[in-house]
Amino acid sequence: MKSSFFALAALMAAGGQAAAATPGEICVQDLRAIPSFLLENDTGARQHLAQKGQAYFDLALATATTAAAGAADSKACDAILENYVGMWRKGHLHVKPGSAQDVAKPSPAQPAVAGQAAPSKEPSLQVLSETTLLLTLPSFHGRYRTAMATLLDTHQTTLASHSNWILDVRSNGGGSDATYAPLLQWISSGEMLNMGAEWLSTPANIDGQEKVCPLLAPGDQNCAAFSVQAVAQMRTVKPGDYAPQNDGGVISYTRLSPPELHQPARVAVLIDKACASSCEEFLLAARQSFHVKLVGRNSYGALDYSNLRLHALPSGVRQLQYATSRSARLPTLQVDLGGIMPDIYLPPPKDDAARAQEIVRVQRWLEGGSLRPAGI
């Protein structure tokens, strides 16, 4: 697919200096490395090119090149490159400043008010009434996997004695499916269908897979085993081809053994636009239960292309974060187009007080009352 898109990249490469001296030259150097790398290694790039057209990406690259050449500093360049990759895909594709170790750290929670302490991203439990409890799940990052398992294990009696659960995953940006896995046995109806995904096999993707566990979960044997299996699957096909994540195929049916104690009778999962990635994978799993309703607003829509890995851009001061797998749901069930719809829609809250009231309203509804806002 040779065109002006590649011609422009080649022209920049030929005219570039061996050692970029200015922030603008460094920025252009990183920019010109992105499109060809994406088309070879990112699982969504070729599909995006086919959908949006060559002219769209020619213009995007030309516009970004002009902006990059005029970048006054590294921070300005970061914004330009992040905007450029956003022209390819709105989620699961980023340019991050810093080293691979810097990028792998989970983003800290931000305080609601300047000067206040940031809220914790660890899972927490709050008993709301004799029948209803609230599980707040701000993140599914791998570092919270032990905290999730410990919470569920420590509070088994409390969990089993409350028939109504509210799971608050608003603003949960995702992380690892393994983090929420212990929760599924509590809320599932027994069997779960998983469509699975496929790996794109390339040398860069295999290299990224081999490095991911030391970055994200050093010493985690489950992560290491997953990585070894992924690399083995990638090596069963030729470079540039796709391989199923598992030998058994892309569709699987899993039986989940419920805990010995009672499962909740009613589960409401509060969702919003900031629920993304593994948070959305959780929604797809949770909504298969007869006991679960999704309440709130559409999720973000960043799930079709996933398993992000890092690639150092030429400058060495920023990383390209891109997708190495694609969902087997494609093209018939696309999440990225508009996110996952709730079963029951709630309009966006106007402020923090209205956001907090959503929990009160859902509790009232689970306990036999109404979702209607107070005063209406």
Side-chain angles (χ1 to χ4, degrees), residues 311-333:
H311 171 69
L313 292 174
S315 68
V317 301
R318 53 184 64 92
Q319 307 284 321
L320 177 66
Q321 190 178 47
Y322 69 102
T324 60
S325 70
R326 69 181 181 188
S327 173
R329 293 178 284 96
L330 300 177
T332 55
L333 179 59

Side-chain angles (χ1 to χ4, degrees), residues 216-289:
L216 294 180
D220 188 320
Q221 295 304 309
N222 290 328
C223 181
F226 177 81
S227 178
V228 168
Q229 181 189 32
V231 170
Q233 289 296 114
M234 289 181 182
R235 286 178 170 156
T236 63
V237 298
K238 298 182 298 183
D241 287 349
Y242 283 88
Q245 286 188 335
N246 300 294
D247 289 330
V250 295
I251 301 178
S252 63
Y253 297 84
T254 304
R255 299 295 301 184
L256 295 179
S257 300
E260 295 181 5
L261 301 174
H262 294 293
Q263 291 180 290
R266 298 177 179 179
V267 179
V269 183
L270 262 175
I271 66 175
D272 66 2
K273 189 66 174 178
C275 171
S277 189
S278 286
C279 182
E280 293 175 297
E281 194 70 62
F282 171 71
L283 300 184
L284 291 180
R287 73 178 186 179
Q288 295 183 43
S289 172

Side-chain angles (χ1 to χ4, degrees), residues 290-307:
F290 298 128
H291 314 296
V292 174
K293 290 291 186 181
L294 308 183
V295 183
R297 294 153 293 282
N298 283 35
S299 63
Y300 181 76
L303 188 61
D304 295 340
Y305 308 99
S306 55
N307 282 289

Side-chain angles (χ1 to χ4, degrees), residues 170-207:
R170 294 173 299 175
S171 299
N172 184 321
S176 170
D177 296 357
T179 300
Y180 65 73
L183 183 59
L184 294 180
Q185 67 176 1
W186 279 94
I187 64 174
S188 77
S189 296
E191 184 177 76
M192 305 195 75
L193 184 153
N194 180 22
M195 287 297 294
E198 300 173 306
W199 298 111
L200 174 58
S201 178
T202 69
N205 291 355
I206 290 174
D207 180 65

Side-chain angles (χ1 to χ4, degrees), residues 1-266:
M1 192 178 292
K2 295 181 179 179
S3 67
S4 55
F5 181 88
F6 297 102
L8 179 55
L11 181 61
M12 289 190 297
Q17 297 179 354
T22 69
E25 290 169 338
I26 295 173
C27 194
V28 171
Q29 182 185 40
D30 279 354
L31 172 65
R32 71 187 183 207
I34 293 174
S36 58
F37 182 87
L38 289 180
L39 287 169
E40 182 178 352
N41 299 286
D42 179 80
T43 48
R46 280 177 270 179
Q47 181 64 22
H48 303 327
L49 180 60
Q51 289 175 335
K52 298 181 179 180
Q54 191 64 60
Y56 171 89
F57 286 107
D58 286 344
L59 178 60
L61 182 60
T63 302
T65 300
T66 300
D73 53 34
S74 183
K75 187 175 181 179
C77 180
D78 294 341
I80 292 166
L81 299 189
E82 178 71 3
N83 181 71
Y84 171 70
V85 297
M87 302 296 286
W88 287 82
R89 184 168 67 245
K90 70 174 182 177
H92 276 183
L93 184 58
H94 302 283
V95 173
K96 303 279 191 177
S99 66
Q101 289 75 17
D102 294 331
V103 175
K105 297 176 184 176
S107 58
Q110 299 298 316
V113 178
Q116 292 185 353
S120 171
K121 284 197 171 186
E122 291 202 358
S124 63
L125 182 150
Q126 179 183 357
V127 175
L128 302 179
S129 71
E130 291 184 356
T131 59
T132 306
L133 59 78
L134 168 68
L135 279 170
T136 303
L137 310 172
S139 174
F140 289 140
H141 192 279
R143 69 167 49 191
Y144 303 122
R145 182 165 62 89
T146 300
M148 175 74 82
T150 300
L151 179 73
L152 297 176
D153 183 62
T154 302
H155 298 284
Q156 282 194 37
T157 302
T158 300
L159 294 169
S161 63
H162 288 75
S163 58
N164 302 325
W165 288 18
I166 301 173
L167 306 182
D168 186 357
V169 295
R170 294 173 299 175
S171 299
N172 184 321
S176 170
D177 296 357
T179 300
Y180 65 73
L183 183 59
L184 294 180
Q185 67 176 1
W186 279 94
I187 64 174
S188 77
S189 296
E191 184 177 76
M192 305 195 75
L193 184 153
N194 180 22
M195 287 297 294
E198 300 173 306
W199 298 111
L200 174 58
S201 178
T202 69
N205 291 355
I206 290 174
D207 180 65
Q209 190 65 57
E210 291 175 331
K211 293 177 178 177
V212 69
C213 290
L215 282 173
L216 294 180
D220 188 320
Q221 295 304 309
N222 290 328
C223 181
F226 177 81
S227 178
V228 168
Q229 181 189 32
V231 170
Q233 289 296 114
M234 289 181 182
R235 286 178 170 156
T236 63
V237 298
K238 298 182 298 183
D241 287 349
Y242 283 88
Q245 286 188 335
N246 300 294
D247 289 330
V250 295
I251 301 178
S252 63
Y253 297 84
T254 304
R255 299 295 301 184
L256 295 179
S257 300
E260 295 181 5
L261 301 174
H262 294 293
Q263 291 180 290
R266 298 177 179 179

